[in-house]
Amino acid sequence: MSEDVVGGKVGKGLQSLSTFGAGTSRLEVLAIIATAVIVIGGLELVLRWFEVPHYILPPPSAIVAALWTDFPLILPHLGYTLVVLLSGFAIGAGIGLILAAVITQFPFAEKIIAPYILILVTTPMLALVPLLILWFGFGYEPRIIAVALATGPMVMINSATGFRRVDANKIALARSYGASTLQIFWKVRAPMALPMILVGLMIGAIFGLLTAVGAEMVGGGFGLGNRLTTYSSMIRMPQFFGVVLILSLLGILIYVIFFLIGKKWTSWET
């Protein structure tokens, strides 16, 4: 699958979500909230009516109560996960942007780098976590490296797609005014590629979150992934689903952050 196809599919998905965020009326928001209340309330009633044990599937009220009670214990692990996510994301996104700029300016470099990027994209990073732990120990390092390896290719592929989709007429016009290659990159390619760069950053951040949690589940004594394995082994399912709820909210927060950034800096695209 080519980079243009990957970037196009992801870009269309983000565009549809952006349309939802920008064009939703008050009535539609109320309908969404009402649907959530009906689904959650109905699940609560069904689970209580059939007296489903909490270790099989706890009702939403039990999940919220457990999260409220145990949140002081979960909070430090949330901090650990955020450190791993932000550190790995910063490293992976930075390297991904640099590689995207290099391969779009120097086609020969793409022929050298592309096979290794393909390997990273198709290799589950969680499979490398035990090896990274063997090399670097049980601290932050193996998890940060795994997150960076998961984030970088996503950012690189989408950013490179954005750099390549710049209108050739704009580049030709800039050259006719005597702009250098570097000036064309910063003044033409980079601004025009910003929507796809944001798509890559958003997808990379979500992949990074999943990788961080998975790495914490594989080994180590801290992080939200560790809480998931601990609570599941102790059959404390309300707390388990409480951690899942936190992870869901983190994923939503990632989308909202990049949606707001895109709304502010790429509104010209519409």
Side-chain angles (χ1 to χ4, degrees):
M1 184 178 293
S2 67
E3 293 177 4
D4 288 342
V5 174
V6 175
K9 290 184 177 180
V10 175
K12 290 179 181 178
L14 183 64
Q15 184 179 6
S16 63
L17 291 175
S18 300
T19 303
F20 160 77
T24 305
S25 66
R26 182 177 300 179
L27 180 60
E28 291 170 333
V29 171
L30 292 176
I32 293 171
I33 296 175
T35 301
V37 170
I38 292 173
V39 171
I40 296 174
L43 181 62
E44 178 83 19
L45 291 175
V46 168
L47 292 175
R48 291 187 177 275
W49 178 267
F50 290 99
E51 298 181 348
V52 177
H54 285 194
Y55 63 84
I56 295 180
L57 183 61
S61 60
I63 296 173
V64 174
L67 184 59
W68 178 267
T69 302
D70 285 27
F71 190 74
L73 301 176
I74 297 174
L75 184 59
H77 295 275
L78 173 60
Y80 295 139
T81 298
L82 290 177
V83 169
V84 171
L85 173 61
L86 295 177
S87 301
F89 175 75
I91 296 172
I95 295 175
L97 286 172
I98 293 173
L99 290 178
V102 169
I103 66 175
T104 51
Q105 295 300 310
F106 305 99
F108 179 73
E110 181 179 12
K111 296 180 181 179
I112 299 175
I113 297 174
Y116 300 100
I117 297 300
L118 180 62
I119 292 174
L120 289 177
V121 171
T122 56
T123 301
M125 287 301 106
L126 295 183
L128 301 180
V129 171
L131 180 62
L132 293 173
I133 291 176
L134 180 64
W135 288 348
F136 299 100
F138 286 92
Y140 284 107
E141 292 84 356
R143 294 159 182 77
I144 292 175
I145 294 173
V147 171
L149 291 175
T151 300
M154 298 295 116
V155 176
M156 194 210 78
I157 290 173
N158 286 278
S159 299
T161 301
F163 289 141
R164 289 197 180 97
R165 285 186 173 181
V166 176
D167 189 354
N169 292 327
K170 294 183 175 63
I171 296 177
L173 180 62
R175 291 192 186 279
S176 68
Y177 280 96
S180 65
T181 301
L182 185 60
Q183 289 174 325
I184 291 174
F185 181 82
W186 286 113
K187 300 295 184 179
V188 181
R189 287 188 184 276
M192 298 296 293
L194 187 57
M196 287 302 300
I197 292 175
L198 290 176
V199 169
L201 292 173
M202 184 191 70
I203 300 300
I206 293 175
F207 268 75
L209 176 61
L210 297 176
T211 303
V213 174
E216 292 165 353
M217 295 177 68
V218 172
F222 57 85
L224 294 180
N226 171 265
R227 290 296 89 194
L228 289 176
T229 55
T230 300
Y231 288 141
S232 63
S233 63
M234 299 172 64
I235 320 181
R236 299 176 64 183
M237 301 316 292
Q239 289 81 0
F240 175 89
F241 282 102
V243 175
V244 172
L245 178 60
I246 292 176
L247 293 173
S248 299
L249 294 176
L250 283 177
I252 294 172
L253 180 61
I254 289 172
Y255 167 75
V256 170
I257 289 174
F258 284 105
F259 169 76
L260 294 177
I261 294 174
K263 187 176 181 181
K264 179 176 178 61
W265 294 104
T266 65
S267 59
W268 52 267
E269 189 184 26
T270 58

